[in-house]
Amino acid sequence: MDEFAETSRLDLAEVDRTLALFPTRLDSRDRVQLHAELRTEADGPPRLRAIIENQGDHPRPVILGDLPFEGPNRPVSAFAGGTATGENHSLWLLPTENHAFFEHPVPVERASSGVWRATDHPNQGWAETPRQIMVDPGERVVLEYHLLVGPDEDRLLPGRYRFRGFPGGETRIPRFDAMLAIWETSAPGPSPDGDSRFAGTTFPPVPLADETAWFHDATPETPVYLRPSTERAQLPAAIEFTLVNRGNRTLFGNQTRWVLYELVDGVWESRSHHTLVDVGSPLWPGDAQRWRLRARADTVLPCDPDRPAEPSVGDLAPGTYAFWVEYSPESCHDGFGAVVELVE
């Protein structure tokens, strides 16, 4: 079975940005591995280095155009369809001098803002990359790129950017997408403009949890938080909850493990919960996990086991509720919660 590994993180102090790339490793069934990492060098733009390695005993074909860092269209770019500022933005990957198949890297320059960008829209030299390569046993093929904004840009906007893989013919590395998350290093948490309606409120502890990190206590400096799409909704309602990890550690949890509590006489009482027998999954730095709660006053059908992140809860009365999930570093039993008010 193909296995994915976690995150590569890079802080760019000169522009107050943190970059997190994930996943960073794919191990295929026949022992061809793709490993990627972010890196930087003195007085130069950030770099993304991908290494293809054949750890097997026989030569294996790899179609470069299937990889998210190569792709069929050049230059390869990652598009954020709506960044943290609400703007559309894209990033480019342009080969460095360390790319196995490029002898003439594209020139780059540094804008007055400190952001690195391409000097022109490159459209030459892409034929240098072969469509397919054979990787011998023990061989390592290095593909390295500058990570840049476009020629007319001078900002590195926070957001989540996707480098798309493209499934092709007989290749030894299956299709996968690579994500790049970017945020302000000094302010990884919620925007100060979106103050919680429950800010300053103290709620009782959640049953069975060692500690709960509440969204209404989060500040712009808080690296991990569970953000609700709204803190007040009229029944019936659909509310999204997003667990954002911008910390230094990988969190572990079970997407199917969630609890909806109601505040009754100063105590949290469970109104619905869900847990499937599952080994759980990691939440890497830069990644996010989403749930979509459908809350109704009337009776609803049981939750669809094939859609554990879209719970439906019925027979709810107006009141104060908390959506709680358990994600924490290894060996801990911490959770994250967000309070919402449901009204008629």
Side-chain angles (χ1 to χ4, degrees):
M1 189 170 185
D2 304 310
E3 297 182 5
F4 294 87
E6 50 183 70
T7 259
S8 176
R9 176 174 165 149
L10 182 66
D11 291 330
L12 303 178
E14 64 276 11
V15 291
D16 190 31
R17 293 290 185 269
T18 295
L19 283 61
L21 175 73
F22 54 93
T24 58
R25 192 186 74 233
L26 173 63
D27 296 312
S28 70
R29 295 176 178 86
D30 51 13
R31 303 182 66 191
V32 175
Q33 182 185 92
L34 175 68
H35 175 77
E37 65 175 347
L38 297 173
R39 52 194 291 145
T40 188
E41 297 185 1
D43 196 30
R47 299 182 179 216
L48 189 157
R49 171 174 287 189
I51 299 176
I52 302 170
E53 182 176 5
N54 183 357
Q55 300 176 333
D57 300 323
H58 305 281
R60 299 297 187 187
V62 173
I63 300 176
L64 294 180
D66 290 356
L67 305 182
F69 311 125
E70 285 289 327
N73 301 313
R74 310 297 178 83
V76 170
S77 63
F79 179 70
T83 62
T85 63
E87 302 175 66
N88 292 330
H89 197 57
S90 62
L91 299 176
W92 289 8
L93 290 179
L94 298 182
T96 74
E97 70 281 1
N98 296 323
H99 192 288
F101 304 107
F102 276 79
E103 297 180 357
H104 307 287
V106 178
V108 301
E109 65 180 8
R110 193 171 193 172
S112 58
S113 62
V115 172
W116 287 90
R117 63 190 178 192
T119 59
D120 197 0
H121 291 272
N123 55 13
Q124 302 291 330
W126 296 105
E128 298 177 36
T129 301
R131 179 179 180 275
Q132 177 175 301
I133 60 174
M134 292 296 296
V135 184
D136 292 328
E139 183 182 3
R140 291 161 56 93
V141 179
V142 176
L143 310 171
E144 189 182 74
Y145 316 86
H146 289 307
L147 184 62
L148 308 164
V149 299
D152 303 322
E153 300 287 341
D154 61 1
R155 296 178 299 165
L156 187 58
L157 295 183
R160 286 166 58 86
Y161 299 80
R162 182 188 301 273
F163 293 100
R164 296 189 179 277
F166 295 87
E170 181 63 24
T171 181
R172 297 299 169 178
I173 299 179
R175 179 197 186 279
F176 77 103
D177 294 343
M179 299 293 296
L180 181 72
I182 301 177
W183 63 87
E184 293 182 31
T185 306
S186 61
S191 167
D193 297 332
D195 288 341
S196 169
R197 62 185 291 113
F198 300 108
T201 304
T202 300
F203 289 100
V206 169
L208 304 180
D210 294 341
E211 185 175 349
T212 295
W214 295 103
F215 174 76
H216 62 268
D217 291 333
T219 69
E221 291 75 37
T222 302
V224 187
Y225 52 92
L226 180 68
R227 180 180 59 221
S229 58
T230 181
E231 291 182 307
R232 188 177 190 273
Q234 183 177 15
L235 291 167
I239 306 172
E240 291 189 355
F241 298 89
T242 304
L243 180 59
V244 179
N245 182 9
R246 292 177 174 172
N248 295 316
R249 295 188 295 178
T250 298
L251 303 179
F252 296 88
N254 187 337
Q255 182 191 35
T256 71
R257 177 167 168 74
W258 56 264
V259 184
L260 182 67
Y261 293 102
E262 182 181 9
L263 188 63
V264 179
D265 297 329
V267 178
W268 290 117
E269 295 187 1
S270 174
R271 287 294 174 257
S272 185
H273 65 276
H274 192 248
T275 302
L276 290 178
V277 178
D278 195 332
V279 295
S281 60
L283 187 68
W284 303 317
D287 204 355
Q289 177 63 60
R290 292 175 175 83
W291 293 263
R292 188 174 188 267
L293 171 68
R294 294 188 295 272
R296 302 182 63 89
D298 56 353
T299 302
V300 298
L301 295 175
C303 295
D304 185 346
D306 295 329
R307 308 176 77 175
E310 297 185 12
S312 297
V313 181
D315 298 321
L316 298 179
T320 300
Y321 293 82
F323 188 80
W324 182 89
V325 297
E326 185 179 50
Y327 270 80
S328 58
E330 292 182 90
S331 74
C332 297
H333 295 283
D334 301 337
F336 295 86
V339 179
V340 297
E341 181 184 0
L342 298 180
V343 300
E344 291 182 321

